[in-house]
Amino acid sequence: MRSLPKLLGLLGGICSVAAWPAEALAITASIADRASSVAGEAVTFDLTIVDAVGPVQVRWDMGDETRTEFTVDDVQQVHTYAAPGHYPVLATVKDDVGFTSVSFVHTVHRPLVTGSAAGSTDLVYDPPNAKVYTANYENDSVSVLDASALTKVAEVPVARGPVGLALTAQGKLWVLHRDAHSVSIVDAASLSVEREIALPYASQPMGLAISPTGDAAYVTLMAVGKVLKLDVASGAVVAELALGGTPRGVSVSHDGSQVYVTRFLSEDSHGEVARIDAATFQVSTRFALAADTTTEDTDQQGRGLPNYLFSVGLSPDGAFAWVPGKKDNIFRGPFRDGLDLTDDNTVRPLVALLNLAEGVEDVARRIDLDDRNLPNQVVFTPLGDYAFISVAGSALVEVRDAYTGEFVTALKETGFAPRGLALTETNKLFVHASLSRTVTVYDVADIVSSHDLITKKLVEIPTVAVEKLDPQVLRGKQLFFNSADIRMSDQGYISCASCHFDGAEDGRVWDFGSAGEGLRNTVSLLGRRGTGHGNVNWSGSFDEIQDSDDNIRHLFGGKGFLTAEQLAVGTVGTPRGDKKAGLSPELDALAAFLGSLDAYRPSPFRNPDGSLTEDGVAGRALFKRLGCDFCHTGPDGTDSARGKLHDVGTVKPSSGMRAGEPLLGIDTPTLNGVWETAPYLHDGSAPTLRDVLVTANPEDRHAFISGLSEAELGQLIAYVQQLDGTVEPGPSEGEAPSEAPREAGGGFLGLGCSAASGPPARRAPLLAFALVAGWMTFGARRRRTS
């Protein structure tokens, strides 16, 4: 059993060897029926021979180590293949004059289930009406394409933030809205929004799938760790399951009996996919995707923890589920194993294969997509023998042999950030290039038939008529995702989105000791407006987003967006040195995109109307009484703009340095949005907000908690969990901003106080729940001066 590229090459070589001079080839042969077969069942090949001279002898090579000798008139071969795969069949024929041969790839598949599975996606195909629909997240619309004419026919305005689509048997298009926390129901005939289904406030619905049985819809609520089961006819919630974690992708088996849900952000020990019994709506299996701690780190493989589990692709035979994501190498670094992070061994793409019968991951078949970034969705050919994988960070679709996992080919020039995929019965593959605002269509008939590797890009169909994003912001977001640009990543593994997908965070703590920093907790960039809060990174080592060019060149392995000549002028090559703004249109676009991230996601810990709960109100009073608003001050909840660094007892040897210089303290992060950014502190050493206040708060240096009752502590935590930028902590009574940055190490916030002195209202700034606004958490490289 071999992969398609090897098979086609082998057959080409065989044919050339078997060919004789033209005058000796009067004899011809053919096999008319080349239909696929099922593993374990006999298949018959009938050979037709024309213009033979004298007796005819035939030798068969079935491609699975079965080979006959030349036998007179052996024109029929009945064979049973034990395993699924792609087998090179070769029949060699000779007569008294010469030789000829017939060769082709025969596909053997597993028994197929009846019907098709359903899965969450932002692109959906409507076969009865020959339509394709796309959800246009930033533009609050759904585009309608003619799947036959390959043209756009309409764009339908919908509620804020559409992320998922699904079709009912009654011709209704369900549109899932992350930002509006709702479902819009669109009539596919009139293209009008008929009604809205409200979902829980601030719940971040991310995945939508309608059961193939047509009676139930399933929605994942990523912010609150729940999965909902809705009645398709009424839209009413009929069941709710507290799954935990960050549920995102959802798929439903062909018969509607099983629901599969990914947890997007993993625990430090393993990734997870849950299988839910649709009837009881209880978890029946939790598939653990084990952390890989033993694979040797090389340029083609590496260790890592499965994370960013986007979706579940169920194979047509019902035997396997393919789960695309990434591997985070949190086991590597100077403070961990003594090895520096490299562009080959920081993040790597993966596809995990779940054995559905055994209820475990088939670890031996886990796929590492070399030189790729952020695989997103998987669809299969009708026989399940090939898998198409959209690779959002690499601007391509990769094709894999579903039986061996081996690379077949790649469909390039998809456009930026390809996500949703759909394969039609006419063998057209539709690819939603979400950041190019296009759907790219390919003819993949030769791959589907195992005939050849030839694919043809047919057309790019624009999806959005009027773009809502500023052109520079959109360009910046495209760059933010794209690792196919060698200026971003020479090997193609890393882009900014690798750790900050959609501007958020990956829940990991990285060892950037080799970059002149230390253990650094990835943070969300949402709401921080680039440098809107002040310097960026935990150590405040960058004073402009354009400083990230150094990280791109030395940590991402990219060529960088600044030339050597530009970096040699003055102190341009130094963080916090001469300004880089204006030197590179690309870096300026990245800065514009990060600057546009001016809102946090609403907190689900608030009341359904968005107001503070009773405990939240009480906690706000405690927050002010304790003086937490001295550093977490103003609308942004930070004093970062003052340039201050503070040590509240959390700086330790593993905290490393500040761009290769002594680290005297940590930049004050905002508390807005911390409800979704665990773990906490610069090194991720506090799993929960309670740990920040109690476990990681030596001698009350961080907050004067020892004077609080258990109930008051709960109220303070409740308030912090509800901070999302809509209620500011209140005006600070602290000192006014100073002209120059001031650094301090030790003492109470580095303000010259001690934990035992000063007014109680100023003993407790609540520091370091999340990273300050700005670029990636990657620290600046050594060799720089302040």
Side-chain angles (χ1 to χ4, degrees):
M1 186 168 57
R2 304 178 178 91
S3 64
L4 184 58
K6 294 179 181 177
L7 296 182
L8 294 174
L10 176 63
L11 292 179
I14 291 172
C15 293
S16 63
V17 170
W20 284 61
E23 62 270 20
L25 291 179
I27 185 174
T28 60
S30 63
I31 298 176
D33 186 4
R34 301 182 180 183
S36 60
S37 63
V38 177
E41 297 181 3
V43 59
T44 301
F45 300 110
D46 289 307
L47 185 66
T48 301
I49 301 173
V50 178
D51 296 331
V53 177
V56 173
Q57 298 184 65
V58 180
R59 181 178 66 197
W60 292 85
D61 187 333
M62 308 310 296
D64 63 349
E65 310 303 329
T66 301
R67 185 176 184 181
T68 70
E69 298 299 325
F70 276 108
T71 304
V72 175
D73 293 334
D74 187 10
V75 295
Q76 184 182 79
Q77 189 69 206
V78 179
H79 190 67
T80 299
Y81 291 92
H86 301 100
Y87 297 92
V89 177
L90 173 67
T92 305
V93 182
K94 67 177 181 179
D95 63 2
D96 288 347
V97 177
F99 287 79
T100 190
S101 64
V102 179
S103 61
F104 63 95
V105 174
H106 178 67
T107 300
V108 180
H109 60 87
R110 298 186 183 92
L112 304 178
V113 298
T114 302
S116 300
S120 50
T121 178
D122 66 355
L123 177 148
V124 66
Y125 173 52
D126 180 5
N129 297 306
K131 294 291 191 296
V132 170
Y133 306 92
T134 67
N136 307 318
Y137 176 69
E138 289 99 346
N139 288 285
D140 304 330
S141 67
V142 170
S143 295
V144 185
L145 312 181
D146 187 314
S148 300
L150 303 183
T151 57
K152 175 184 170 184
V153 297
E155 186 175 353
V156 183
V158 293
R160 291 183 299 111
V163 291
L165 303 172
L167 281 163
T168 71
Q170 293 74 35
K172 307 299 181 183
L173 178 68
W174 283 39
V175 185
L176 185 69
H177 301 281
R178 181 179 193 172
D179 297 344
H181 34 266
S182 66
V183 173
S184 299
I185 298 181
V186 178
D187 181 74
S190 64
L191 298 181
S192 59
V193 178
E194 294 186 337
R195 59 192 176 101
E196 300 280 340
I197 301 172
L199 297 172
Y201 172 77
S203 56
Q204 285 191 49
M206 283 302 298
L208 167 68
I210 292 179
S211 172
T213 59
D215 59 341
Y218 299 93
V219 175
T220 58
L221 305 179
M222 195 163 75
V224 295
K226 294 181 178 180
V227 183
L228 302 181
K229 182 178 182 179
L230 280 65
D231 178 78
V232 169
S234 67
V237 176
V238 297
E240 178 181 300
L241 175 63
L243 187 64
T246 49
R248 184 176 180 124
V250 56
S251 293
V252 189
S253 62
H254 67 286
D255 58 1
S257 65
Q258 306 295 323
V259 181
Y260 297 86
V261 178
T262 68
R263 292 178 60 176
F264 186 57
L265 299 182
S266 302
E267 300 175 2
D268 281 343
S269 57
H270 65 280
E272 186 175 281
V273 176
R275 177 162 56 190
I276 302 167
D277 182 274
T280 64
F281 213 55
Q282 296 296 315
V283 175
S284 60
T285 310
R286 289 186 182 268
F287 295 86
L289 278 59
D292 181 353
T293 61
T294 59
T295 296
E296 181 184 2
D297 291 344
T298 70
D299 61 347
Q300 296 185 7
Q301 63 181 23
R303 295 169 292 169
L305 170 74
N307 198 19
Y308 275 8
L309 305 181
F310 286 98
S311 60
V312 179
L314 298 173
S315 62
D317 52 33
F320 288 92
W322 287 41
V323 182
K326 66 165 181 166
K327 284 202 303 186
D328 291 332
N329 198 347
I330 57 173
F331 313 109
R332 187 178 177 110
F335 291 101
R336 287 175 167 155
D337 67 354
L339 299 174
D340 292 347
L341 289 176
T342 68
D343 54 318
D344 282 303
N345 291 114
T346 300
V347 295
R348 296 187 69 90
L350 82 92
V351 178
L353 274 65
L354 310 183
N355 186 315
L356 302 184
E358 297 181 10
V360 296
E361 181 195 0
D362 190 341
V363 178
R365 295 185 63 197
R366 184 181 286 182
I367 301 172
D368 187 322
L369 283 70
D370 199 33
D371 298 337
R372 302 286 190 249
N373 179 33
L374 296 172
N376 202 264
Q377 186 173 345
V378 179
V379 299
F380 294 91
T381 52
L383 297 178
D385 57 330
Y386 294 109
F388 295 92
I389 307 167
S390 63
V391 190
S394 301
L396 55 78
V397 174
E398 187 159 301
V399 186
R400 289 271 169 164
D401 186 310
Y403 303 132
T404 66
E406 293 185 357
F407 174 82
V408 174
T409 189
L411 310 180
K412 297 185 178 181
E413 300 179 358
T414 61
F416 293 109
R419 297 195 188 184
L421 303 173
L423 181 63
T424 72
E425 68 281 357
T426 58
N427 297 323
K428 292 184 178 65
L429 183 71
F430 287 76
V431 183
H432 185 204
S434 59
L435 291 183
S436 290
R437 315 308 198 210
T438 59
V439 169
T440 306
V441 187
Y442 297 87
D443 182 343
V444 294
D446 282 344
I447 290 180
V448 173
S449 66
S450 297
H451 177 68
D452 208 330
L453 300 181
I454 296 174
T455 61
K456 182 179 180 182
K457 182 176 176 179
L458 300 176
V459 67
E460 290 183 3
I461 309 172
T463 56
V464 175
V466 180
E467 175 61 49
K468 289 188 176 182
L469 292 188
D470 175 88
Q472 190 181 34
V473 171
L474 177 58
R475 177 58 179 149
K477 189 168 186 179
Q478 292 169 344
L479 290 163
F480 188 85
F481 267 81
N482 187 31
S483 64
D485 188 331
I486 62 171
R487 295 172 298 178
M488 177 67 75
S489 177
D490 185 46
Q491 299 296 317
Y493 287 113
I494 309 177
S495 67
C496 310
S498 299
C499 297
H500 298 277
F501 194 81
D502 286 339
E505 46 88 35
D506 61 5
R508 302 277 72 84
V509 177
W510 297 93
D511 183 347
F512 293 124
S514 60
E517 296 280 318
L519 297 186
R520 295 293 183 264
N521 182 12
T522 308
V523 299
S524 172
L525 307 178
L526 301 178
R528 289 159 170 81
R529 309 188 308 280
T531 55
H533 292 185
N535 284 5
V536 301
N537 294 330
W538 282 105
S539 62
S541 57
F542 291 170
D543 63 359
E544 57 180 336
I545 299 302
Q546 288 84 349
D547 281 333
S548 62
D549 187 70
D550 185 78
N551 285 335
I552 289 170
R553 286 182 288 109
H554 295 105
L555 288 170
F556 295 16
K559 304 299 183 184
F561 295 98
L562 293 174
T563 66
E565 291 76 15
Q566 289 174 315
L567 292 169
V569 175
T571 58
V572 169
T574 303
R576 308 187 310 280
D578 292 341
K579 293 299 181 183
K580 299 178 178 67
L583 300 181
S584 163
E586 291 82 8
L587 290 177
D588 291 347
L590 282 168
F593 168 59
L594 266 68
S596 74
L597 302 179
D598 57 0
Y600 306 90
R601 295 201 173 104
S603 170
F605 292 92
R606 289 173 173 258
N607 288 319
D609 64 357
S611 63
L612 292 178
T613 65
E614 184 177 344
D615 278 351
V617 172
R620 179 169 59 181
L622 288 167
F623 189 89
K624 293 177 180 296
R625 193 185 85 195
L626 293 170
C628 303
D629 59 338
F630 184 76
C631 291
H632 298 285
T633 182
D636 291 327
T638 174
D639 66 355
S640 180
R642 301 174 185 171
K644 295 181 180 299
L645 300 177
H646 308 300
D647 180 7
V648 292
T650 59
V651 175
K652 58 197 74 167
S654 61
S655 300
M657 307 181 77
R658 186 194 194 207
E661 304 163 1
L663 178 69
L664 303 179
I666 298 298
D667 189 82
T668 304
T670 181
L671 300 183
N672 290 321
V674 300
W675 63 269
E676 64 173 343
T677 59
Y680 301 106
L681 302 180
H682 70 279
D683 58 358
S685 57
T688 68
L689 292 174
R690 183 182 181 87
D691 288 313
V692 174
L693 295 170
V694 179
T695 310
N697 184 18
E699 301 176 347
D700 281 348
R701 290 178 64 184
H702 197 167
F704 194 67
I705 298 305
S706 58
L708 297 182
S709 67
E710 189 65 28
E712 288 175 321
L713 178 61
Q715 291 170 337
L716 181 59
I717 292 172
Y719 173 61
V720 175
Q721 286 177 319
Q722 295 174 49
L723 288 172
D724 58 11
T726 56
V727 174
E728 62 179 84
S732 170
E733 298 175 5
E735 62 189 45
S738 58
E739 291 295 325
R742 177 174 157 196
E743 301 181 5
F748 181 60
L749 295 183
L751 298 179
C753 306
S754 71
S757 65
R762 288 293 172 262
R763 295 176 185 167
L766 189 60
L767 181 63
F769 287 161
L771 178 60
V772 72
W775 189 242
M776 316 278 289
T777 54
F778 299 155
R781 184 174 163 83
R782 286 188 178 92
R783 75 171 172 76
R784 299 179 182 77
T785 58
S786 296

